[in-house]
PDB file of all heavy atoms in Angstrom:
ATOM      1  N   LEU A   1      83.935  77.941  58.633  1.00 97.00           N
ATOM      2  CA  LEU A   1      83.581  79.336  58.450  1.00 97.00           C
ATOM      3  C   LEU A   1      84.099  80.102  59.635  1.00 97.00           C
ATOM      4  O   LEU A   1      83.831  79.771  60.791  1.00 97.00           O
ATOM      5  CB  LEU A   1      82.019  79.496  58.410  1.00 97.00           C
ATOM      6  CG  LEU A   1      81.537  80.921  58.026  1.00 97.00           C
ATOM      7  CD1 LEU A   1      80.328  80.830  57.119  1.00 97.00           C
ATOM      8  CD2 LEU A   1      81.205  81.818  59.237  1.00 97.00           C
ATOM      9  N   PHE A   2      84.967  81.086  59.332  1.00 97.00           N
ATOM     10  CA  PHE A   2      85.629  81.928  60.351  1.00 97.00           C
ATOM     11  C   PHE A   2      84.994  83.270  60.338  1.00 97.00           C
ATOM     12  O   PHE A   2      85.038  83.999  59.386  1.00 97.00           O
ATOM     13  CB  PHE A   2      87.126  82.014  59.892  1.00 97.00           C
ATOM     14  CG  PHE A   2      88.111  82.386  60.933  1.00 97.00           C
ATOM     15  CD1 PHE A   2      88.198  81.752  62.223  1.00 97.00           C
ATOM     16  CD2 PHE A   2      89.006  83.427  60.714  1.00 97.00           C
ATOM     17  CE1 PHE A   2      89.060  82.105  63.120  1.00 97.00           C
ATOM     18  CE2 PHE A   2      89.890  83.867  61.705  1.00 97.00           C
ATOM     19  CZ  PHE A   2      89.953  83.164  62.923  1.00 97.00           C
ATOM     20  N   ALA A   3      84.392  83.600  61.508  1.00 96.00           N
ATOM     21  CA  ALA A   3      83.604  84.789  61.644  1.00 96.00           C
ATOM     22  C   ALA A   3      84.125  85.824  62.666  1.00 96.00           C
ATOM     23  O   ALA A   3      84.549  85.400  63.764  1.00 96.00           O
ATOM     24  CB  ALA A   3      82.174  84.424  61.986  1.00 96.00           C
ATOM     25  N   LEU A   4      84.030  87.064  62.261  1.00 94.00           N
ATOM     26  CA  LEU A   4      84.358  88.199  63.161  1.00 94.00           C
ATOM     27  C   LEU A   4      83.043  88.900  63.397  1.00 94.00           C
ATOM     28  O   LEU A   4      82.396  89.440  62.472  1.00 94.00           O
ATOM     29  CB  LEU A   4      85.353  89.098  62.572  1.00 94.00           C
ATOM     30  CG  LEU A   4      85.847  90.277  63.426  1.00 94.00           C
ATOM     31  CD1 LEU A   4      87.289  90.662  63.146  1.00 94.00           C
ATOM     32  CD2 LEU A   4      84.948  91.592  63.175  1.00 94.00           C
ATOM     33  N   LEU A   5      82.551  88.914  64.720  1.00 94.00           N
ATOM     34  CA  LEU A   5      81.314  89.527  65.075  1.00 94.00           C
ATOM     35  C   LEU A   5      81.571  90.768  65.787  1.00 94.00           C
ATOM     36  O   LEU A   5      82.148  90.823  66.866  1.00 94.00           O
ATOM     37  CB  LEU A   5      80.449  88.561  65.916  1.00 94.00           C
ATOM     38  CG  LEU A   5      80.324  87.149  65.472  1.00 94.00           C
ATOM     39  CD1 LEU A   5      79.447  86.381  66.402  1.00 94.00           C
ATOM     40  CD2 LEU A   5      79.791  87.057  64.021  1.00 94.00           C
ATOM     41  N   ARG A   6      81.209  91.950  65.249  1.00 89.00           N
ATOM     42  CA  ARG A   6      81.462  93.253  65.859  1.00 89.00           C
ATOM     43  C   ARG A   6      80.216  93.866  66.472  1.00 89.00           C
ATOM     44  O   ARG A   6      79.079  93.515  66.045  1.00 89.00           O
ATOM     45  CB  ARG A   6      81.982  94.254  64.791  1.00 89.00           C
ATOM     46  CG  ARG A   6      83.321  93.927  64.181  1.00 89.00           C
ATOM     47  CD  ARG A   6      83.756  95.183  63.394  1.00 89.00           C
ATOM     48  NE  ARG A   6      82.843  95.498  62.254  1.00 89.00           N
ATOM     49  CZ  ARG A   6      82.818  96.670  61.603  1.00 89.00           C
ATOM     50  NH1 ARG A   6      83.716  97.609  61.982  1.00 89.00           N
ATOM     51  NH2 ARG A   6      82.006  96.893  60.570  1.00 89.00           N
ATOM     52  N   ASN A   7      80.384  94.610  67.551  1.00 87.00           N
ATOM     53  CA  ASN A   7      79.245  95.348  68.052  1.00 87.00           C
ATOM     54  C   ASN A   7      79.366  96.876  67.789  1.00 87.00           C
ATOM     55  O   ASN A   7      80.328  97.277  67.109  1.00 87.00           O
ATOM     56  CB  ASN A   7      79.083  95.110  69.564  1.00 87.00           C
ATOM     57  CG  ASN A   7      80.306  95.627  70.392  1.00 87.00           C
ATOM     58  OD1 ASN A   7      81.074  96.468  69.928  1.00 87.00           O
ATOM     59  ND2 ASN A   7      80.523  95.042  71.535  1.00 87.00           N
ATOM     60  N   ASN A   8      78.430  97.675  68.224  1.00 82.00           N
ATOM     61  CA  ASN A   8      78.489  99.106  67.912  1.00 82.00           C
ATOM     62  C   ASN A   8      79.663  99.833  68.519  1.00 82.00           C
ATOM     63  O   ASN A   8      80.059 100.936  68.058  1.00 82.00           O
ATOM     64  CB  ASN A   8      77.169  99.765  68.305  1.00 82.00           C
ATOM     65  CG  ASN A   8      76.056  99.584  67.328  1.00 82.00           C
ATOM     66  OD1 ASN A   8      76.381  99.312  66.136  1.00 82.00           O
ATOM     67  ND2 ASN A   8      74.803  99.749  67.745  1.00 82.00           N
ATOM     68  N   GLU A   9      80.218  99.288  69.569  1.00 83.00           N
ATOM     69  CA  GLU A   9      81.321  99.920  70.264  1.00 83.00           C
ATOM     70  C   GLU A   9      82.655  99.607  69.609  1.00 83.00           C
ATOM     71  O   GLU A   9      83.743 100.105  69.991  1.00 83.00           O
ATOM     72  CB  GLU A   9      81.422  99.482  71.714  1.00 83.00           C
ATOM     73  CG  GLU A   9      80.296 100.092  72.623  1.00 83.00           C
ATOM     74  CD  GLU A   9      78.952  99.557  72.338  1.00 83.00           C
ATOM     75  OE1 GLU A   9      78.817  98.321  72.193  1.00 83.00           O
ATOM     76  OE2 GLU A   9      78.042 100.342  72.201  1.00 83.00           O
ATOM     77  N   GLY A  10      82.676  98.716  68.617  1.00 78.00           N
ATOM     78  CA  GLY A  10      83.906  98.332  67.882  1.00 78.00           C
ATOM     79  C   GLY A  10      84.581  97.123  68.459  1.00 78.00           C
ATOM     80  O   GLY A  10      85.622  96.665  67.877  1.00 78.00           O
ATOM     81  N   ASP A  11      84.029  96.586  69.580  1.00 88.00           N
ATOM     82  CA  ASP A  11      84.607  95.345  70.073  1.00 88.00           C
ATOM     83  C   ASP A  11      84.187  94.183  69.198  1.00 88.00           C
ATOM     84  O   ASP A  11      83.153  94.227  68.497  1.00 88.00           O
ATOM     85  CB  ASP A  11      84.061  95.073  71.556  1.00 88.00           C
ATOM     86  CG  ASP A  11      84.529  96.146  72.503  1.00 88.00           C
ATOM     87  OD1 ASP A  11      85.676  96.612  72.317  1.00 88.00           O
ATOM     88  OD2 ASP A  11      83.707  96.495  73.434  1.00 88.00           O
ATOM     89  N   ALA A  12      84.941  93.073  69.290  1.00 89.00           N
ATOM     90  CA  ALA A  12      84.625  91.976  68.362  1.00 89.00           C
ATOM     91  C   ALA A  12      84.967  90.669  68.969  1.00 89.00           C
ATOM     92  O   ALA A  12      85.899  90.562  69.876  1.00 89.00           O
ATOM     93  CB  ALA A  12      85.339  92.164  67.011  1.00 89.00           C
ATOM     94  N   THR A  13      84.389  89.607  68.518  1.00 92.00           N
ATOM     95  CA  THR A  13      84.694  88.242  68.909  1.00 92.00           C
ATOM     96  C   THR A  13      84.950  87.466  67.599  1.00 92.00           C
ATOM     97  O   THR A  13      84.412  87.711  66.610  1.00 92.00           O
ATOM     98  CB  THR A  13      83.562  87.534  69.711  1.00 92.00           C
ATOM     99  OG1 THR A  13      82.396  87.515  68.850  1.00 92.00           O
ATOM    100  CG2 THR A  13      83.315  88.240  70.972  1.00 92.00           C
ATOM    101  N   ILE A  14      85.850  86.464  67.798  1.00 94.00           N
ATOM    102  CA  ILE A  14      86.220  85.590  66.586  1.00 94.00           C
ATOM    103  C   ILE A  14      85.693  84.172  66.905  1.00 94.00           C
ATOM    104  O   ILE A  14      85.871  83.666  68.020  1.00 94.00           O
ATOM    105  CB  ILE A  14      87.728  85.561  66.422  1.00 94.00           C
ATOM    106  CG1 ILE A  14      88.233  86.937  66.038  1.00 94.00           C
ATOM    107  CG2 ILE A  14      88.066  84.483  65.331  1.00 94.00           C
ATOM    108  CD1 ILE A  14      87.973  87.291  64.646  1.00 94.00           C
ATOM    109  N   ARG A  15      85.031  83.634  65.908  1.00 94.00           N
ATOM    110  CA  ARG A  15      84.495  82.269  66.079  1.00 94.00           C
ATOM    111  C   ARG A  15      84.831  81.395  64.892  1.00 94.00           C
ATOM    112  O   ARG A  15      84.778  81.857  63.748  1.00 94.00           O
ATOM    113  CB  ARG A  15      83.000  82.281  66.311  1.00 94.00           C
ATOM    114  CG  ARG A  15      82.558  83.048  67.527  1.00 94.00           C
ATOM    115  CD  ARG A  15      81.024  83.058  67.700  1.00 94.00           C
ATOM    116  NE  ARG A  15      80.618  83.897  68.840  1.00 94.00           N
ATOM    117  CZ  ARG A  15      79.341  84.019  69.245  1.00 94.00           C
ATOM    118  NH1 ARG A  15      78.409  83.437  68.638  1.00 94.00           N
ATOM    119  NH2 ARG A  15      79.129  84.795  70.250  1.00 94.00           N
ATOM    120  N   THR A  16      85.081  80.092  65.120  1.00 95.00           N
ATOM    121  CA  THR A  16      85.332  79.137  64.122  1.00 95.00           C
ATOM    122  C   THR A  16      84.145  78.145  64.109  1.00 95.00           C
ATOM    123  O   THR A  16      83.908  77.552  65.135  1.00 95.00           O
ATOM    124  CB  THR A  16      86.679  78.353  64.298  1.00 95.00           C
ATOM    125  OG1 THR A  16      87.776  79.307  64.273  1.00 95.00           O
ATOM    126  CG2 THR A  16      86.852  77.389  63.122  1.00 95.00           C
ATOM    127  N   TYR A  17      83.528  77.966  62.985  1.00 97.00           N
ATOM    128  CA  TYR A  17      82.434  77.007  62.853  1.00 97.00           C
ATOM    129  C   TYR A  17      82.910  75.872  61.940  1.00 97.00           C
ATOM    130  O   TYR A  17      83.155  76.193  60.704  1.00 97.00           O
ATOM    131  CB  TYR A  17      81.161  77.678  62.312  1.00 97.00           C
ATOM    132  CG  TYR A  17      80.621  78.787  63.224  1.00 97.00           C
ATOM    133  CD1 TYR A  17      81.110  80.050  63.084  1.00 97.00           C
ATOM    134  CD2 TYR A  17      79.629  78.500  64.151  1.00 97.00           C
ATOM    135  CE1 TYR A  17      80.630  81.078  63.939  1.00 97.00           C
ATOM    136  CE2 TYR A  17      79.104  79.520  64.987  1.00 97.00           C
ATOM    137  CZ  TYR A  17      79.649  80.798  64.887  1.00 97.00           C
ATOM    138  OH  TYR A  17      79.165  81.826  65.735  1.00 97.00           O
ATOM    139  N   HIS A  18      82.924  74.642  62.349  1.00 97.00           N
ATOM    140  CA  HIS A  18      83.396  73.572  61.535  1.00 97.00           C
ATOM    141  C   HIS A  18      82.261  72.709  61.175  1.00 97.00           C
ATOM    142  O   HIS A  18      81.414  72.275  62.022  1.00 97.00           O
ATOM    143  CB  HIS A  18      84.446  72.824  62.339  1.00 97.00           C
ATOM    144  CG  HIS A  18      84.982  71.587  61.610  1.00 97.00           C
ATOM    145  ND1 HIS A  18      86.009  71.686  60.710  1.00 97.00           N
ATOM    146  CD2 HIS A  18      84.618  70.270  61.585  1.00 97.00           C
ATOM    147  CE1 HIS A  18      86.284  70.522  60.180  1.00 97.00           C
ATOM    148  NE2 HIS A  18      85.489  69.625  60.727  1.00 97.00           N
ATOM    149  N   PHE A  19      82.204  72.295  59.924  1.00 97.00           N
ATOM    150  CA  PHE A  19      81.188  71.363  59.335  1.00 97.00           C
ATOM    151  C   PHE A  19      81.859  70.243  58.559  1.00 97.00           C
ATOM    152  O   PHE A  19      82.654  70.532  57.705  1.00 97.00           O
ATOM    153  CB  PHE A  19      80.171  72.127  58.423  1.00 97.00           C
ATOM    154  CG  PHE A  19      79.471  73.277  59.095  1.00 97.00           C
ATOM    155  CD1 PHE A  19      80.016  74.523  59.131  1.00 97.00           C
ATOM    156  CD2 PHE A  19      78.272  73.095  59.745  1.00 97.00           C
ATOM    157  CE1 PHE A  19      79.327  75.585  59.759  1.00 97.00           C
ATOM    158  CE2 PHE A  19      77.571  74.053  60.359  1.00 97.00           C
ATOM    159  CZ  PHE A  19      78.104  75.374  60.363  1.00 97.00           C
ATOM    160  N   GLU A  20      81.486  69.021  58.925  1.00 98.00           N
ATOM    161  CA  GLU A  20      81.947  67.861  58.172  1.00 98.00           C
ATOM    162  C   GLU A  20      80.919  67.662  56.994  1.00 98.00           C
ATOM    163  O   GLU A  20      79.698  67.758  57.228  1.00 98.00           O
ATOM    164  CB  GLU A  20      81.966  66.589  59.002  1.00 98.00           C
ATOM    165  CG  GLU A  20      83.114  66.614  60.043  1.00 98.00           C
ATOM    166  CD  GLU A  20      84.484  66.403  59.335  1.00 98.00           C
ATOM    167  OE1 GLU A  20      84.518  65.762  58.278  1.00 98.00           O
ATOM    168  OE2 GLU A  20      85.527  66.973  59.892  1.00 98.00           O
ATOM    169  N   ARG A  21      81.459  67.326  55.821  1.00 97.00           N
ATOM    170  CA  ARG A  21      80.529  67.154  54.640  1.00 97.00           C
ATOM    171  C   ARG A  21      79.491  66.096  54.932  1.00 97.00           C
ATOM    172  O   ARG A  21      78.321  66.229  54.456  1.00 97.00           O
ATOM    173  CB  ARG A  21      81.407  66.814  53.483  1.00 97.00           C
ATOM    174  CG  ARG A  21      80.519  66.549  52.232  1.00 97.00           C
ATOM    175  CD  ARG A  21      81.225  66.553  50.933  1.00 97.00           C
ATOM    176  NE  ARG A  21      80.273  66.227  49.819  1.00 97.00           N
ATOM    177  CZ  ARG A  21      80.520  66.536  48.560  1.00 97.00           C
ATOM    178  NH1 ARG A  21      81.582  67.201  48.222  1.00 97.00           N
ATOM    179  NH2 ARG A  21      79.658  66.140  47.643  1.00 97.00           N
ATOM    180  N   GLU A  22      79.870  65.008  55.556  1.00 96.00           N
ATOM    181  CA  GLU A  22      78.934  63.898  55.748  1.00 96.00           C
ATOM    182  C   GLU A  22      77.670  64.329  56.548  1.00 96.00           C
ATOM    183  O   GLU A  22      76.592  63.782  56.453  1.00 96.00           O
ATOM    184  CB  GLU A  22      79.621  62.656  56.378  1.00 96.00           C
ATOM    185  CG  GLU A  22      80.129  62.995  57.754  1.00 96.00           C
ATOM    186  CD  GLU A  22      80.878  61.799  58.341  1.00 96.00           C
ATOM    187  OE1 GLU A  22      81.200  60.856  57.534  1.00 96.00           O
ATOM    188  OE2 GLU A  22      81.135  61.803  59.589  1.00 96.00           O
ATOM    189  N   GLU A  23      77.884  65.404  57.360  1.00 96.00           N
ATOM    190  CA  GLU A  23      76.754  65.923  58.104  1.00 96.00           C
ATOM    191  C   GLU A  23      75.897  66.841  57.306  1.00 96.00           C
ATOM    192  O   GLU A  23      74.754  67.247  57.704  1.00 96.00           O
ATOM    193  CB  GLU A  23      77.314  66.727  59.328  1.00 96.00           C
ATOM    194  CG  GLU A  23      78.150  65.940  60.250  1.00 96.00           C
ATOM    195  CD  GLU A  23      78.837  66.825  61.298  1.00 96.00           C
ATOM    196  OE1 GLU A  23      78.887  68.046  61.104  1.00 96.00           O
ATOM    197  OE2 GLU A  23      79.399  66.277  62.259  1.00 96.00           O
ATOM    198  N   CYS A  24      76.353  67.205  56.083  1.00 97.00           N
ATOM    199  CA  CYS A  24      75.668  68.224  55.251  1.00 97.00           C
ATOM    200  C   CYS A  24      75.062  67.638  53.932  1.00 97.00           C
ATOM    201  O   CYS A  24      74.556  68.359  53.169  1.00 97.00           O
ATOM    202  CB  CYS A  24      76.647  69.298  54.918  1.00 97.00           C
ATOM    203  SG  CYS A  24      77.435  70.108  56.294  1.00 97.00           S
ATOM    204  N   GLU A  25      75.130  66.328  53.851  1.00 96.00           N
ATOM    205  CA  GLU A  25      74.739  65.727  52.559  1.00 96.00           C
ATOM    206  C   GLU A  25      73.363  65.968  52.179  1.00 96.00           C
ATOM    207  O   GLU A  25      72.944  66.118  50.980  1.00 96.00           O
ATOM    208  CB  GLU A  25      75.038  64.165  52.523  1.00 96.00           C
ATOM    209  CG  GLU A  25      76.532  63.891  52.400  1.00 96.00           C
ATOM    210  CD  GLU A  25      77.142  64.238  51.108  1.00 96.00           C
ATOM    211  OE1 GLU A  25      76.412  64.590  50.177  1.00 96.00           O
ATOM    212  OE2 GLU A  25      78.364  64.225  51.024  1.00 96.00           O
ATOM    213  N   TRP A  26      72.406  65.943  53.144  1.00 96.00           N
ATOM    214  CA  TRP A  26      70.963  66.211  52.908  1.00 96.00           C
ATOM    215  C   TRP A  26      70.788  67.582  52.267  1.00 96.00           C
ATOM    216  O   TRP A  26      70.121  67.767  51.280  1.00 96.00           O
ATOM    217  CB  TRP A  26      70.146  66.040  54.114  1.00 96.00           C
ATOM    218  CG  TRP A  26      68.662  66.121  53.908  1.00 96.00           C
ATOM    219  CD1 TRP A  26      67.809  65.096  53.637  1.00 96.00           C
ATOM    220  CD2 TRP A  26      67.880  67.277  53.869  1.00 96.00           C
ATOM    221  NE1 TRP A  26      66.541  65.569  53.472  1.00 96.00           N
ATOM    222  CE2 TRP A  26      66.543  66.916  53.526  1.00 96.00           C
ATOM    223  CE3 TRP A  26      68.142  68.720  53.999  1.00 96.00           C
ATOM    224  CZ2 TRP A  26      65.432  67.853  53.397  1.00 96.00           C
ATOM    225  CZ3 TRP A  26      67.004  69.562  53.899  1.00 96.00           C
ATOM    226  CH2 TRP A  26      65.726  69.151  53.611  1.00 96.00           C
ATOM    227  N   TYR A  27      71.515  68.569  52.876  1.00 97.00           N
ATOM    228  CA  TYR A  27      71.413  69.919  52.350  1.00 97.00           C
ATOM    229  C   TYR A  27      72.035  70.048  50.949  1.00 97.00           C
ATOM    230  O   TYR A  27      71.570  70.864  50.084  1.00 97.00           O
ATOM    231  CB  TYR A  27      72.036  70.905  53.353  1.00 97.00           C
ATOM    232  CG  TYR A  27      71.407  70.870  54.698  1.00 97.00           C
ATOM    233  CD1 TYR A  27      71.944  70.033  55.697  1.00 97.00           C
ATOM    234  CD2 TYR A  27      70.261  71.532  54.974  1.00 97.00           C
ATOM    235  CE1 TYR A  27      71.373  70.023  56.953  1.00 97.00           C
ATOM    236  CE2 TYR A  27      69.615  71.535  56.215  1.00 97.00           C
ATOM    237  CZ  TYR A  27      70.195  70.760  57.164  1.00 97.00           C
ATOM    238  OH  TYR A  27      69.619  70.756  58.433  1.00 97.00           O
ATOM    239  N   ILE A  28      73.175  69.307  50.752  1.00 97.00           N
ATOM    240  CA  ILE A  28      73.802  69.315  49.465  1.00 97.00           C
ATOM    241  C   ILE A  28      72.869  68.744  48.350  1.00 97.00           C
ATOM    242  O   ILE A  28      72.810  69.318  47.246  1.00 97.00           O
ATOM    243  CB  ILE A  28      75.095  68.570  49.511  1.00 97.00           C
ATOM    244  CG1 ILE A  28      76.192  69.363  50.390  1.00 97.00           C
ATOM    245  CG2 ILE A  28      75.678  68.322  48.160  1.00 97.00           C
ATOM    246  CD1 ILE A  28      77.459  68.721  50.589  1.00 97.00           C
TER     247      ILE A  28
END
């Protein structure tokens, strides 16, 4: 999940969130 987080001033940060499927099997 690649996210762009903006604030009210228009500045932004970019973040990459990585998930392996084997870590998510319970939720699946």
